[in-house]
């Protein structure tokens, strides 16, 4: 480190500390005011406080999605951070700066960078033996390990954090309850993540419940109603993950009561949504509908929020079961419009909530319901129209099949030639011009996922893929769009169809499978949906593909 002067006579220490404190008061004074104070701090000549000002401003702007010249802030931080002398006067400020940089990186989906910053912050906390900061940063590091799927490291870190907190109750003083609460809550969350990755090991879900009950049973913690609401909500969610919906029910009720009492709207919103799903599984349609309508009452519109989008789908399903055609159509139409807006705005995070098969089936249910209602009013007209439609469809299908049969051989040769070409030149993606190291890491992560055939698994989606790679869903979608020129859904289908084509071309046993079974080896649950997608990508049905292969052999 360069030993520059760390303060000047023009910088009053009390003023610097007062400005720094404004960052931690941001929720009280508002983000705009806090950013102004951070900008003022970044103009000071004291290098450590100046650097904190830049770090505080970039975090606040990232967190609240303000317009941000990220490169300019990063350059300023990279310029001044190395100039801070490492001594006991600056260790605390260095800790605060590095934890802010870690928090910013985490929010930007840069998990590797976040971990590096957190580990540096941990070093300064250990040097000063600052118990409160040690507990805080170790908890953050544990959550990063959780986010990138390194669950053993996450558990080791969080359990060490818990021991430190419990062994230093007197040192932590008034902050003991809050730190222990967060550590127990995070321990439960990590066990939940492990259970989600492998639901056959129920012990992990039970461990999650155990740590939540430790919070409820520890009378010395004396938590606020908000924190008890969080615990009840998490217990409900964990029982739901275990598919023990009746056990989850009372905890949903308790969390809703507490969040309603303290007017915690965002948490109440999520509790109503999860409660609605719970009632749905319990087949209590009226109560489920009531909760979902409460979701829409709290949040009027949010394209980016999957809960908001899925609420419309659930309401549409409920009204289908109630045979209320108009309401079912209304909420289904809203569901589709929101998704269209999301796609047009390239907000690809919606990929993890868009399920083509469910949407298609729901639409068919509504159409069938409409036909049933109309039939009861005018059977004769329906019969005539249906007959005409059938005749026209028959003519269309017949002519289309004739055209397809003429082109099937050519298509098959093209498909097989493509597979041969790709197997010889599977490194073509390496010719891509990668913009930076982070992009390269994501591209390499996608290659590993393709090589491991993770795309064939039932839980393969945008969220789980981003988690495995160590980024967020929005950033992963952007990389796939920029480098592969397709959406995540298109990317998924392309990988699966190519895999199935290769299997059908080389494995006689697979060619003897039913269409349903062939679809399942590629990750498709529904035979109709699989056939539709297969035909979209190859121009022919799986049956026609097999028929031509058998003819050529």
């Amino acid at each position: 480190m360069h030993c520059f002067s760390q303060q000047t006579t023009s910088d009053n220490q009390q003023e610097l500390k007062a400005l720094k404190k404004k960052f931690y008061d941001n929720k009280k004074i508002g983000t705009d005011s806090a950013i102004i104070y951070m900008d003022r701090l970044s103009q000071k000549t004291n290098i450590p406080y100046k650097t904190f000002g830049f770090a505080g401003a970039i975090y606040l702007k990232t967190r609240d999605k303000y317009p941000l010249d990220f490169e300019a802030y990063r350059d300023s931080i990279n310029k001044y951070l190395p100039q801070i002398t490492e001594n006991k006067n600056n260790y605390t400020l260095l800790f605060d700066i590095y934890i802010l940089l870690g928090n910013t990186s985490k929010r930007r989906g840069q998990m590797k960078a976040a971990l590096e910053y957190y580990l540096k912050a941990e070093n300064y906390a250990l040097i000063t033996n600052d118990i409160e900061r040690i507990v805080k940063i170790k908890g953050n590091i544990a959550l990063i390990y959780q986010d990138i799927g390194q669950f053993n490291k996450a558990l080791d870190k969080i359990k060490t954090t818990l021991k430190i907190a419990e062994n230093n109750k007197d040192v932590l003083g008034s902050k003991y309850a809050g730190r222990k609460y967060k550590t127990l809550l995070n321990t439960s969350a990590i066990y939940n993540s492990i259970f989600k990755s492998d639901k056959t090991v129920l012990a992990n879900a039970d461990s999650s419940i155990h740590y939540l009950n430790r919070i409820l049973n520890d009378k010395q913690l004396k938590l606020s109603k908000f924190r008890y609401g969080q615990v009840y909500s998490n217990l409900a969610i964990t029982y739901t993950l275990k598919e023990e919906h009746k056990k989850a029910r009372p905890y949903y009720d308790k969390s809703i009561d507490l969040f309603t009492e303290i007017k915690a709207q965002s948490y109440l919103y999520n509790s109503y949504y999860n409660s609605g799903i719970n009632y749905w599984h319990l087949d209590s349609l009226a109560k489920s509908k009531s909760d979902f309508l409460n979701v829409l009452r709290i949040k009027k519109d949010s394209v980016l929020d999957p809960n908001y989008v899925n609420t419309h789908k659930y309401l549409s399903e409920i009204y289908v079961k109630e045979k209320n055609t108009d309401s079912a159509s209304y909420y289904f139409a809203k569901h589709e419009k929101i998704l269209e807006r999301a796609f047009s705005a390239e907000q690809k995070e919606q990929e993890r909530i868009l399920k083509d098969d469910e949407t298609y089936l729901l639409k068919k249910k509504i159409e069938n319901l409409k036909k049933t209602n109309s039939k009861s009013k005018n059977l004769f007209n329906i019969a005539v129209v249906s007959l005409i439609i059938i005749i026209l469809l028959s003519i269309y299908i017949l002519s289309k099949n004739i055209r397809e049969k003429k082109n099937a051989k050519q298509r098959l040769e093209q498909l097989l030639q493509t597979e041969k070409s790709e197997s010889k030149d599977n490194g073509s993606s390496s010719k891509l011009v990668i913009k930076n190291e982070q992009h390269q890491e994501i591209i390499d992560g996608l290659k590993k996922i393709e090589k491991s055939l993770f795309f064939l698994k039932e839980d393969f989606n945008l969220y789980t893929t981003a988690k495995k790679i160590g980024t967020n869903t929005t950033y992963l979608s952007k990389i796939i769009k920029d480098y592969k020129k397709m959406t995540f859904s298109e990317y998924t289908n392309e990988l699966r169809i190519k895999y199935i084509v290769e299997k059908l071309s080389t494995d006689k046993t697979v060619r003897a499978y039913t269409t349903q079974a062939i679809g399942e080896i590629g990750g498709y649950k529904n035979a109709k949906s699989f056939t539709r997608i297969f035909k979209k990508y190859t121009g022919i049905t799986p049956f026609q593909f097999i028929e031509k292969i058998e003819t050529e052999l």
Side-chain angles (χ1 to χ4, degrees), residues 12-25:
N12 179 283
Q13 285 292 309
Q14 287 186 339
E15 180 191 5
L16 294 173
K17 290 179 180 179
L19 287 172
K20 179 173 178 278
K21 186 177 182 298
K22 295 295 184 182
F23 171 83
Y24 298 104
D25 292 338

Side-chain angles (χ1 to χ4, degrees), residues 295-333:
V295 169
L296 300 185
R297 175 180 56 79
I298 294 171
K299 188 171 288 189
K300 299 300 182 184
D301 193 3
S302 178
V303 172
L304 289 175
D305 187 347
N307 291 357
Y308 178 84
V309 180
N310 276 336
T311 292
H312 292 83
K313 181 171 73 67
Y314 275 112
L315 283 169
S316 184
E317 285 275 17
I318 289 169
Y319 283 118
V320 165
K321 290 190 175 185
E322 293 180 345
K323 301 189 183 304
N324 186 331
T325 307
D326 292 341
S327 294
S329 299
Y330 170 77
Y331 284 106
F332 181 78

Side-chain angles (χ1 to χ4, degrees), residues 154-156 158-163 166 180-192 194 203-218 221 223 228 230-232 234-235 238-239:
L155 280 178
D156 288 343
I158 201 66
K159 288 183 177 180
T160 300
T161 306
L162 183 58
K163 287 181 181 178
E166 291 179 329
K180 183 175 181 181
Y181 161 78
K182 287 183 179 178
T183 306
L184 288 169
L185 198 70
N186 290 339
T187 307
S188 169
I190 292 169
Y191 273 114
N192 254 359
I194 298 172
N204 289 319
D206 293 335
S207 294
S208 176
I209 292 169
H210 165 74
Y211 281 98
L212 292 172
N213 282 325
R214 280 189 62 179
I215 297 175
L216 296 178
N217 296 330
D218 192 336
L221 291 181
L223 302 175
Y228 278 121
Q230 283 185 305
V231 175
Y232 289 133
N234 287 5
L235 276 168
T238 306
Y239 279 117

Side-chain angles (χ1 to χ4, degrees), residues 439-502:
H439 289 195
Q440 183 65 63
E441 288 178 3
I442 295 174
I443 294 295
D444 290 343
L446 289 173
K447 288 179 181 177
K448 289 179 181 178
I449 281 187
E450 292 172 15
K451 187 176 180 180
S452 68
L453 303 181
F454 176 60
F455 58 85
L456 299 178
K457 294 190 176 181
E458 182 181 338
D459 62 344
F460 178 71
N461 55 44
L462 187 63
Y463 174 74
T464 56
T465 304
K467 195 167 184 180
K468 274 188 174 292
I469 293 174
T471 184
N472 62 32
T473 53
T474 303
Y475 205 70
L476 176 59
S477 292
K478 185 178 186 305
I479 295 299
I480 293 174
K481 180 68 173 179
D482 289 347
Y483 290 101
K484 295 188 178 291
K485 309 302 179 187
M486 62 181 76
T487 67
F488 183 82
S489 180
E490 292 167 343
Y491 172 63
T492 301
N493 286 326
E494 182 176 278
L495 290 176
R496 289 177 170 178
I497 297 302
K498 282 184 177 180
Y499 176 81
I500 292 171
V501 165
E502 192 275 334

Side-chain angles (χ1 to χ4, degrees), residues 415 493 496-498 500-502 504 515 518 524 527-546:
L415 282 169
N493 286 326
R496 289 177 170 178
I497 297 302
K498 282 184 177 180
I500 292 171
V501 165
E502 192 275 334
L504 290 174
T515 301
I518 293 170
Y524 295 102
K528 289 183 179 179
S529 175
F530 161 61
T531 300
R532 174 168 51 84
I533 295 170
F534 187 94
K535 191 170 184 179
K536 176 183 176 182
Y537 279 81
T538 66
I540 52 179
T541 66
F543 177 77
Q544 291 170 328
F545 188 86
I546 294 169

Side-chain angles (χ1 to χ4, degrees), residues 44-74:
K44 298 297 181 179
T45 56
N46 182 293
I47 302 300
Y49 281 98
K50 175 192 283 285
T51 310
F52 182 91
F54 285 119
I58 197 174
Y59 171 76
L60 291 170
K61 289 186 176 184
T62 300
R63 184 193 70 184
D64 292 358
K65 298 181 175 59
Y66 279 41
L68 171 65
D69 187 346
F70 182 78
E71 302 297 328
Y73 276 101
R74 184 190 62 185

Side-chain angles (χ1 to χ4, degrees), residues 6 16 64 91 103 186 249 313 344 377 420 518:
Q6 300 302 310
L16 294 173
D64 292 358
Y91 287 146
N103 292 343
N186 290 339
R249 188 63 253 157
K313 181 171 73 67
S344 65
K377 297 176 182 178
K420 291 176 183 177
I518 293 170

